[in-house]
Amino acid sequence: MVAANGLVYVSQQSAAPVDGSSTKYVTTSTVTALSESDSQARWTQSLTSDGYLGAPAVAGGKLAMAGSDTVYVFDALAGGAPLGVRPPNTNGVLLGVSLATAPTFFGGNVYVGGNNDISGIDAAAGQTRWSASLGLPTLGNVNDWTPAVSGGTVYSHAAGTLTAFNITDGTVRFSVAVPGQVLGGLNKSSLRQAPVLADAGSVLVLNQRPPAGEAADNSLSLVDVDSRAVRWTVRGQFSTQPVVAQGIVYVGNQASRSLEARQLGDGALLWRWPLDTALDEYFGGDLIVTGNLLFVGGRNNTYAIDLASRKAVWTYRMGGSLALSRHGVLYIRQGTDLPGSSMVLTAINLQ
């Protein structure tokens, strides 16, 4: 889900067998725009495809979702049939779509990544501006990742390499080897991460993030853009996408079962907030940092940690994915997108 335009956009997935078959299914992805004030649906649009669509991304009047071979661009205010764009690909499948991975908007364009390719798409015209290869072998590509964009550069972090592409034409500016083994199956490795633009001169990368509830050794590194070198690396079992504010990195570490605050400059541990394992066995959702609070999604609960006192000031008995609107409404989505599962969406007024 994502909040914008006074609306909260939620994607859902369903599957139905083809002609009673137990092995062939038709999948349907539905995106709904709910009013932030009363939860009424402003519009709903469903697409039937050969695979699930990823999470929605919104910028201004456009909404984008990525499928296995097509990027769909919707009118975010009115809905309706989307534009479909199929960028070129090099390894047979364009996108490694995750139900929790959204494209990245920047300057009216949509940037998507997966498997062996990264592409820039004109959201207004509905056409590919450029597409570039990561140079991975057919059996060594990666999925469940999305690029980050800053100024004139698009960053991908896949298979142990941070690559910077020129935003204009997709040519490679530089690449940096980043510590951390990429784990996964025979054909693909699921990264479940995106580069984090920590500040104007550095990019924070997590080599790979395991599914919620699982633990795996991984590495968190900071890459200096000017020197094009890794500034520091710390190892752990980091299970959340890291967030950064005021020179501090916040990330959930399953090895210590705690939320960790680390100095951006050198990665040094500043303080920990222990997860109450009696209530939550693991971090089951997202982190959102504001000027004074850090919202933490556990398996069963959502916590608001005061950054000054480093203590939880309130708890809500529902965990999951989080989104925060510019109007101060916190959204908690509990449930999965697996066929037959249910979803509960809760809106909390933080004002």
Side-chain angles (χ1 to χ4, degrees), residues 89-172:
N89 67 88
T90 57
N91 275 351
V93 179
L94 172 64
L95 302 172
V97 173
S98 164
L99 299 177
T101 300
T104 301
F105 269 103
F106 188 89
N109 297 311
V110 182
Y111 298 89
V112 294
N115 293 315
N116 189 41
D117 300 278
I118 184 168
S119 301
I121 295 168
D122 187 319
Q127 61 185 22
T128 302
R129 298 180 66 243
W130 56 262
S131 184
S133 170
L134 300 182
L136 302 176
T138 301
L139 296 180
N141 49 52
V142 289
N143 60 14
D144 288 13
W145 64 275
T146 197
V149 186
S150 175
T153 306
V154 181
Y155 295 96
S156 74
H157 178 232
T161 302
L162 176 72
T163 305
F165 298 87
N166 189 307
I167 198 172
T168 303
D169 57 11
T171 55
V172 175

Side-chain angles (χ1 to χ4, degrees), residues 174-185:
F174 64 87
S175 60
V176 180
V178 180
Q181 180 184 3
V182 174
L183 309 174

Side-chain angles (χ1 to χ4, degrees), residues 72-327:
Y72 298 93
V73 181
F74 298 79
D75 183 321
L77 302 179
L83 293 171
V85 185
R86 298 184 68 175
N89 67 88
T90 57
N91 275 351
V93 179
L94 172 64
L95 302 172
V97 173
S98 164
L99 299 177
T101 300
T104 301
F105 269 103
F106 188 89
N109 297 311
V110 182
Y111 298 89
V112 294
N115 293 315
N116 189 41
D117 300 278
I118 184 168
S119 301
I121 295 168
D122 187 319
Q127 61 185 22
T128 302
R129 298 180 66 243
W130 56 262
S131 184
S133 170
L134 300 182
L136 302 176
T138 301
L139 296 180
N141 49 52
V142 289
N143 60 14
D144 288 13
W145 64 275
T146 197
V149 186
S150 175
T153 306
V154 181
Y155 295 96
S156 74
H157 178 232
T161 302
L162 176 72
T163 305
F165 298 87
N166 189 307
I167 198 172
T168 303
D169 57 11
T171 55
V172 175
R173 287 187 165 176
F174 64 87
S175 60
V176 180
V178 180
Q181 180 184 3
V182 174
L183 309 174
L186 176 62
N187 295 327
K188 290 186 178 69
S189 296
S190 297
L191 303 182
R192 302 181 184 88
Q193 56 79 33
V196 176
L197 304 176
D199 55 28
S202 57
V203 181
L204 191 67
V205 292
L206 182 64
N207 67 300
Q208 187 173 26
R209 187 162 65 100
E214 297 183 13
D217 294 338
N218 53 15
S219 299
L220 183 66
S221 303
L222 189 73
V223 176
D224 187 283
V225 173
D226 294 329
S227 65
R228 301 178 181 180
V230 176
R231 188 185 304 172
W232 55 259
T233 297
V234 293
R235 291 175 174 79
Q237 294 180 348
F238 302 110
S239 55
T240 70
Q241 179 78 359
V243 297
V244 182
Q246 301 179 7
I248 299 177
V249 180
Y250 302 96
V251 63
N253 190 347
Q254 200 63 29
S256 61
R257 302 239 177 144
S258 63
L259 185 285
E260 296 182 348
R262 293 182 173 272
Q263 187 70 41
L264 178 62
D266 58 8
L269 181 65
L270 298 175
W271 52 270
R272 283 192 177 106
W273 178 81
L275 189 66
D276 188 342
T277 55
L279 299 177
D280 288 280
E281 299 175 9
Y282 52 82
F283 295 95
D286 306 303
L287 305 180
I288 297 177
V289 62
T290 71
N292 65 318
L293 294 174
L294 175 69
F295 297 98
V296 179
R299 179 189 180 188
N300 302 310
N301 300 272
T302 297
Y303 306 89
I305 301 173
D306 181 81
L307 296 179
S309 67
R310 304 172 184 176
K311 296 180 179 180
V313 291
W314 59 261
T315 302
Y316 188 77
R317 291 298 302 271
M318 180 179 289
S321 300
L322 306 180
L324 180 62
S325 82
R326 64 183 301 173
H327 301 113

